[in-house]
Amino acid sequence: MDDDASPTAKALLALELIQNVPGITGDRLGRRLGVTDRAARRYVGILREAGIPIESTPGRYGGYTLGRGYRLPPLMFSTAEALGLMMTALEGHHSAADATDPAGSALAKIIRVLPTSVAQPADAIRRMISPADRIATPDPEITAAVVQGCAEHHRIRIGYRRGECDVEPLMMDVDPWAVSVRHGRWYLLCWSHTRDARRVLRVDRILSVEPLPESFTPPDGLDAAQAVQDHLTEGWQYQVEIVFEAPADLISRRIPGILGRLEELGSDRCRLIGSTDDPEWYAERLTFVRAPFQVVAPPELRKALQDLGQRLIAAGEDV
């Protein structure tokens, strides 16, 4: 560090070093600051006088650490870190672009403490998300209550809206096993005592949460992510079976898991088993596969592929 730096600057650097390297020794801290061990202790004293909880452990393996729960303000992000945080938040929670949303309010606070050179491009990304880009996202307080039920293994009573036209929510007593995020949506995997069956519920459709005194034990070996994925590919109107003339690992890189479950049929063939309510949508997803395939079922999907193929051919013809 510059020898001409002010005591305040060196004290702040000492604070940053102690936060980034918990347990840093006085000797090492002095070397990083370019001062003696005694001077380093003086800067630690300045920080303590300012009310910052610096804890020290004596002895050969001792050092300095920040008190539990303390974090260094302001937030020190590089431009790349700030933009990466902004993009991740917006991808998972598009309403974070709205300053009145809890996630948006949190991002706005981060932007306000960033240097101008970093804050301006970060805020520009936040403002780029238009209302048309947003999908339904769950209420943070409701999500927190659901996750707490999962973590504490306590039954909850929820008010659930089954569809857009529901006037009165369905009240359900459920054992919340786990929360999983798939394709930008939050899902609750649970056992419904109201239906006496396993259910996968959209968290954004949960309107209320009431903790109940009963506890539960999740199933042994529960793979929540796989269970949610399997649920999303089963139980729809049209049962799908497709045979691909390509290895399963190649096809899995071309289609999303939401389309169904891949089964190997040898080293160079595989089968996709799934279901859908929308053959036209399903057909469009299959255009990403660059390998020969045959639709075994349903005929509605074959018809949707034929119609899509004719439209693509017509679009490529000379005017």
Side-chain angles (χ1 to χ4, degrees):
M1 185 174 184
D2 188 349
D3 291 337
D4 294 330
S6 69
T8 300
K10 288 191 175 182
L12 289 175
L13 178 58
L15 176 57
E16 184 177 352
L17 289 169
I18 293 170
Q19 175 171 283
N20 293 339
V21 189
I24 187 171
T25 64
D27 182 60
R28 185 180 177 190
L29 181 62
R31 290 199 305 271
R32 295 291 298 273
L33 294 173
V35 300
T36 64
D37 178 33
R38 181 177 180 180
R41 290 198 300 271
R42 186 166 63 248
Y43 293 126
V44 171
I46 292 174
L47 294 173
R48 285 171 171 162
E49 290 175 359
I52 298 173
I54 305 293
E55 299 175 356
S56 59
T57 304
R60 181 178 178 183
Y61 300 104
Y64 296 110
T65 58
L66 277 177
R68 183 179 298 274
Y70 183 85
R71 290 294 181 268
L72 172 64
L75 297 174
M76 298 299 183
F77 290 124
S78 68
T79 301
E81 288 172 335
L83 297 186
L85 175 64
M86 199 68 53
M87 293 167 69
T88 300
L90 291 170
E91 180 180 3
H93 194 89
H94 286 191
S95 58
D98 183 356
T100 63
D101 180 86
S105 176
L107 285 181
K109 289 179 180 179
I110 293 175
I111 290 174
R112 283 198 295 270
V113 300
L114 293 174
T116 301
S117 60
V118 179
Q120 287 180 343
D123 191 47
I125 286 182
R126 183 173 67 93
R127 296 177 183 277
M128 282 171 54
I129 302 297
S130 65
D133 296 326
R134 302 173 191 171
I135 61 174
T137 50
D139 179 273
E141 292 186 3
I142 285 178
T143 305
V146 171
V147 170
Q148 184 174 3
C150 296
E152 297 179 351
H153 297 168
H154 271 286
R155 190 172 301 170
I156 57 176
R157 177 168 296 152
I158 63 173
Y160 190 71
R161 176 171 53 84
R162 289 166 292 183
E164 299 298 332
C165 298
D166 272 8
V167 178
E168 294 293 332
L170 171 67
M171 303 307 297
M172 304 171 63
D173 289 358
V174 303
D175 293 343
W177 290 346
V179 170
S180 180
V181 181
R182 303 295 298 173
H183 311 292
R185 290 197 184 279
W186 292 62
Y187 295 94
L188 170 63
L189 175 65
C190 63
W191 180 266
S192 170
H193 292 275
T194 305
R195 298 297 190 187
D196 196 27
R198 189 184 76 173
R199 287 289 184 263
V200 173
L201 307 175
R202 279 175 46 176
V203 180
D204 63 280
R205 290 186 174 178
I206 298 177
L207 305 181
S208 62
V209 179
E210 176 188 349
L212 298 176
E214 293 86 356
S215 60
F216 66 89
T217 300
D220 291 335
L222 176 66
D223 186 338
Q226 187 60 52
V228 170
Q229 182 65 69
D230 291 345
H231 174 85
L232 295 178
T233 61
E234 299 171 353
W236 304 107
Q237 180 179 0
Y238 302 105
Q239 301 305 304
V240 174
E241 181 180 353
I242 302 173
V243 175
F244 296 94
E245 301 298 329
D249 61 342
L250 176 63
I251 299 302
S252 66
R253 295 197 294 268
R254 289 291 183 179
I255 61 174
I258 196 173
L259 291 189
R261 182 182 69 257
L262 282 171
E263 300 175 349
E264 292 187 354
L265 297 177
S267 60
D268 57 356
R269 299 175 76 236
C270 63
R271 175 168 52 210
L272 177 66
I273 301 295
S275 65
T276 183
D277 273 353
D278 189 343
E280 288 74 20
W281 174 87
Y282 206 99
E284 292 170 0
R285 305 286 84 74
L286 293 174
T287 59
F288 291 97
V289 179
R290 297 182 180 179
F293 63 87
Q294 179 65 44
V295 175
V296 179
E300 290 81 2
L301 178 56
R302 289 197 293 268
K303 178 64 165 55
L305 283 167
Q306 292 167 2
D307 293 343
L308 177 59
Q310 291 173 0
R311 292 200 303 271
L312 293 175
I313 292 173
E317 293 178 347
D318 293 334
V319 179

mmCIF file of all heavy atoms in Angstrom, residues 78-101:
data_model
loop_
_atom_site.group_PDB
_atom_site.id
_atom_site.type_symbol
_atom_site.label_atom_id
_atom_site.label_comp_id
_atom_site.label_asym_id
_atom_site.label_seq_id
_atom_site.Cartn_x
_atom_site.Cartn_y
_atom_site.Cartn_z
ATOM 1 N N SER A 78 -16.952 -5.484 -8.202
ATOM 2 C CA SER A 78 -16.424 -5.046 -9.486
ATOM 3 C C SER A 78 -17.603 -4.886 -10.438
ATOM 4 O O SER A 78 -18.723 -5.333 -10.153
ATOM 5 C CB SER A 78 -15.442 -6.085 -10.036
ATOM 6 O OG SER A 78 -16.135 -7.277 -10.391
ATOM 7 N N THR A 79 -17.372 -4.265 -11.591
ATOM 8 C CA THR A 79 -18.457 -4.103 -12.566
ATOM 9 C C THR A 79 -19.008 -5.457 -12.992
ATOM 10 O O THR A 79 -20.213 -5.665 -13.060
ATOM 11 C CB THR A 79 -17.960 -3.332 -13.799
ATOM 12 O OG1 THR A 79 -17.484 -2.049 -13.371
ATOM 13 C CG2 THR A 79 -19.069 -3.138 -14.818
ATOM 14 N N ALA A 80 -18.099 -6.425 -13.255
ATOM 15 C CA ALA A 80 -18.534 -7.752 -13.693
ATOM 16 C C ALA A 80 -19.347 -8.443 -12.607
ATOM 17 O O ALA A 80 -20.369 -9.084 -12.884
ATOM 18 C CB ALA A 80 -17.322 -8.607 -14.063
ATOM 19 N N GLU A 81 -18.930 -8.317 -11.339
ATOM 20 C CA GLU A 81 -19.669 -8.941 -10.242
ATOM 21 C C GLU A 81 -21.052 -8.330 -10.100
ATOM 22 O O GLU A 81 -22.048 -9.044 -9.905
ATOM 23 C CB GLU A 81 -18.895 -8.787 -8.943
ATOM 24 C CG GLU A 81 -17.639 -9.647 -8.853
ATOM 25 C CD GLU A 81 -16.804 -9.306 -7.629
ATOM 26 O OE1 GLU A 81 -16.909 -8.162 -7.132
ATOM 27 O OE2 GLU A 81 -16.037 -10.179 -7.179
ATOM 28 N N ALA A 82 -21.135 -6.999 -10.180
ATOM 29 C CA ALA A 82 -22.419 -6.319 -10.028
ATOM 30 C C ALA A 82 -23.378 -6.704 -11.148
ATOM 31 O O ALA A 82 -24.559 -6.982 -10.911
ATOM 32 C CB ALA A 82 -22.212 -4.804 -10.002
ATOM 33 N N LEU A 83 -22.879 -6.747 -12.386
ATOM 34 C CA LEU A 83 -23.744 -7.102 -13.513
ATOM 35 C C LEU A 83 -24.160 -8.566 -13.429
ATOM 36 O O LEU A 83 -25.304 -8.918 -13.748
ATOM 37 C CB LEU A 83 -23.030 -6.830 -14.829
ATOM 38 C CG LEU A 83 -22.660 -5.366 -15.109
ATOM 39 C CD1 LEU A 83 -22.081 -5.224 -16.507
ATOM 40 C CD2 LEU A 83 -23.872 -4.457 -14.956
ATOM 41 N N GLY A 84 -23.239 -9.430 -12.993
ATOM 42 C CA GLY A 84 -23.575 -10.843 -12.845
ATOM 43 C C GLY A 84 -24.661 -11.051 -11.802
ATOM 44 O O GLY A 84 -25.600 -11.828 -11.998
ATOM 45 N N LEU A 85 -24.564 -10.335 -10.668
ATOM 46 C CA LEU A 85 -25.588 -10.404 -9.632
ATOM 47 C C LEU A 85 -26.929 -9.914 -10.161
ATOM 48 O O LEU A 85 -27.977 -10.530 -9.927
ATOM 49 C CB LEU A 85 -25.154 -9.580 -8.424
ATOM 50 C CG LEU A 85 -26.173 -9.440 -7.291
ATOM 51 C CD1 LEU A 85 -26.475 -10.804 -6.670
ATOM 52 C CD2 LEU A 85 -25.661 -8.475 -6.229
ATOM 53 N N MET A 86 -26.913 -8.803 -10.888
ATOM 54 C CA MET A 86 -28.143 -8.228 -11.417
ATOM 55 C C MET A 86 -28.811 -9.190 -12.405
ATOM 56 O O MET A 86 -30.021 -9.434 -12.347
ATOM 57 C CB MET A 86 -27.818 -6.901 -12.109
ATOM 58 C CG MET A 86 -28.993 -5.982 -12.316
ATOM 59 S SD MET A 86 -29.631 -5.327 -10.767
ATOM 60 C CE MET A 86 -28.146 -4.634 -10.039
ATOM 61 N N MET A 87 -28.025 -9.768 -13.300
ATOM 62 C CA MET A 87 -28.577 -10.657 -14.311
ATOM 63 C C MET A 87 -29.141 -11.934 -13.681
ATOM 64 O O MET A 87 -30.199 -12.426 -14.073
ATOM 65 C CB MET A 87 -27.504 -10.989 -15.341
ATOM 66 C CG MET A 87 -27.073 -9.778 -16.174
ATOM 67 S SD MET A 87 -25.557 -10.064 -17.128
ATOM 68 C CE MET A 87 -26.158 -11.256 -18.315
ATOM 69 N N THR A 88 -28.446 -12.463 -12.661
ATOM 70 C CA THR A 88 -28.917 -13.670 -11.992
ATOM 71 C C THR A 88 -30.233 -13.411 -11.272
ATOM 72 O O THR A 88 -31.166 -14.215 -11.330
ATOM 73 C CB THR A 88 -27.865 -14.162 -10.988
ATOM 74 O OG1 THR A 88 -26.652 -14.447 -11.690
ATOM 75 C CG2 THR A 88 -28.339 -15.422 -10.275
ATOM 76 N N ALA A 89 -30.311 -12.270 -10.578
ATOM 77 C CA ALA A 89 -31.538 -11.929 -9.857
ATOM 78 C C ALA A 89 -32.708 -11.754 -10.812
ATOM 79 O O ALA A 89 -33.816 -12.236 -10.563
ATOM 80 C CB ALA A 89 -31.328 -10.661 -9.037
ATOM 81 N N LEU A 90 -32.475 -11.078 -11.929
ATOM 82 C CA LEU A 90 -33.554 -10.818 -12.879
ATOM 83 C C LEU A 90 -33.981 -12.083 -13.603
ATOM 84 O O LEU A 90 -35.150 -12.268 -13.931
ATOM 85 C CB LEU A 90 -33.112 -9.756 -13.883
ATOM 86 C CG LEU A 90 -32.947 -8.339 -13.306
ATOM 87 C CD1 LEU A 90 -32.286 -7.426 -14.321
ATOM 88 C CD2 LEU A 90 -34.282 -7.769 -12.870
ATOM 89 N N GLU A 91 -33.022 -12.979 -13.853
ATOM 90 C CA GLU A 91 -33.363 -14.232 -14.527
ATOM 91 C C GLU A 91 -34.262 -15.100 -13.648
ATOM 92 O O GLU A 91 -35.208 -15.721 -14.109
ATOM 93 C CB GLU A 91 -32.091 -15.002 -14.870
ATOM 94 C CG GLU A 91 -32.352 -16.326 -15.579
ATOM 95 C CD GLU A 91 -31.084 -17.075 -15.901
ATOM 96 O OE1 GLU A 91 -29.998 -16.599 -15.529
ATOM 97 O OE2 GLU A 91 -31.166 -18.145 -16.522
ATOM 98 N N GLY A 92 -33.969 -15.129 -12.350
ATOM 99 C CA GLY A 92 -34.754 -15.961 -11.460
ATOM 100 C C GLY A 92 -35.998 -15.290 -10.919
ATOM 101 O O GLY A 92 -36.909 -15.949 -10.451
ATOM 102 N N HIS A 93 -36.028 -13.955 -10.964
ATOM 103 C CA HIS A 93 -37.142 -13.216 -10.350
ATOM 104 C C HIS A 93 -37.335 -11.943 -11.165
ATOM 105 O O HIS A 93 -36.846 -10.881 -10.812
ATOM 106 C CB HIS A 93 -36.777 -12.885 -8.893
ATOM 107 C CG HIS A 93 -37.941 -12.444 -8.068
ATOM 108 N ND1 HIS A 93 -38.739 -13.319 -7.375
ATOM 109 C CD2 HIS A 93 -38.455 -11.218 -7.816
ATOM 110 C CE1 HIS A 93 -39.666 -12.655 -6.713
ATOM 111 N NE2 HIS A 93 -39.525 -11.375 -6.969
ATOM 112 N N HIS A 94 -38.049 -12.051 -12.289
ATOM 113 C CA HIS A 94 -38.134 -10.937 -13.228
ATOM 114 C C HIS A 94 -38.748 -9.683 -12.635
ATOM 115 O O HIS A 94 -38.454 -8.576 -13.060
ATOM 116 C CB HIS A 94 -38.938 -11.368 -14.470
ATOM 117 C CG HIS A 94 -38.156 -12.281 -15.359
ATOM 118 N ND1 HIS A 94 -38.570 -12.618 -16.621
ATOM 119 C CD2 HIS A 94 -36.986 -12.933 -15.174
ATOM 120 C CE1 HIS A 94 -37.706 -13.440 -17.183
ATOM 121 N NE2 HIS A 94 -36.740 -13.652 -16.316
ATOM 122 N N SER A 95 -39.615 -9.833 -11.628
ATOM 123 C CA SER A 95 -40.206 -8.644 -11.037
ATOM 124 C C SER A 95 -39.204 -7.869 -10.205
ATOM 125 O O SER A 95 -39.534 -6.822 -9.661
ATOM 126 C CB SER A 95 -41.426 -9.022 -10.186
ATOM 127 O OG SER A 95 -41.067 -9.929 -9.168
ATOM 128 N N ALA A 96 -37.955 -8.371 -10.103
ATOM 129 C CA ALA A 96 -36.908 -7.592 -9.444
ATOM 130 C C ALA A 96 -36.620 -6.307 -10.213
ATOM 131 O O ALA A 96 -35.972 -5.398 -9.695
ATOM 132 C CB ALA A 96 -35.626 -8.424 -9.327
ATOM 133 N N ALA A 97 -37.100 -6.218 -11.445
ATOM 134 C CA ALA A 97 -36.958 -4.972 -12.198
ATOM 135 C C ALA A 97 -37.879 -3.887 -11.657
ATOM 136 O O ALA A 97 -37.690 -2.703 -11.939
ATOM 137 C CB ALA A 97 -37.278 -5.225 -13.681
ATOM 138 N N ASP A 98 -38.872 -4.280 -10.871
ATOM 139 C CA ASP A 98 -39.828 -3.338 -10.295
ATOM 140 C C ASP A 98 -39.336 -2.909 -8.917
ATOM 141 O O ASP A 98 -39.182 -3.733 -8.014
ATOM 142 C CB ASP A 98 -41.198 -4.017 -10.184
ATOM 143 C CG ASP A 98 -42.276 -3.080 -9.651
ATOM 144 O OD1 ASP A 98 -41.947 -1.926 -9.294
ATOM 145 O OD2 ASP A 98 -43.433 -3.519 -9.596
ATOM 146 N N ALA A 99 -39.088 -1.608 -8.745
ATOM 147 C CA ALA A 99 -38.532 -1.101 -7.485
ATOM 148 C C ALA A 99 -39.486 -1.293 -6.315
ATOM 149 O O ALA A 99 -39.064 -1.239 -5.155
ATOM 150 C CB ALA A 99 -38.169 0.366 -7.623
ATOM 151 N N THR A 100 -40.783 -1.516 -6.572
ATOM 152 C CA THR A 100 -41.742 -1.712 -5.487
ATOM 153 C C THR A 100 -41.794 -3.165 -5.021
ATOM 154 O O THR A 100 -42.370 -3.463 -3.983
ATOM 155 C CB THR A 100 -43.152 -1.278 -5.919
ATOM 156 O OG1 THR A 100 -43.589 -2.110 -7.022
ATOM 157 C CG2 THR A 100 -43.152 0.180 -6.373
ATOM 158 N N ASP A 101 -41.201 -4.079 -5.788
ATOM 159 C CA ASP A 101 -41.134 -5.481 -5.414
ATOM 160 C C ASP A 101 -40.028 -5.666 -4.374
ATOM 161 O O ASP A 101 -39.011 -4.968 -4.425
ATOM 162 C CB ASP A 101 -40.833 -6.328 -6.661
ATOM 163 C CG ASP A 101 -40.759 -7.804 -6.349
ATOM 164 O OD1 ASP A 101 -41.813 -8.453 -6.342
ATOM 165 O OD2 ASP A 101 -39.634 -8.304 -6.111
#
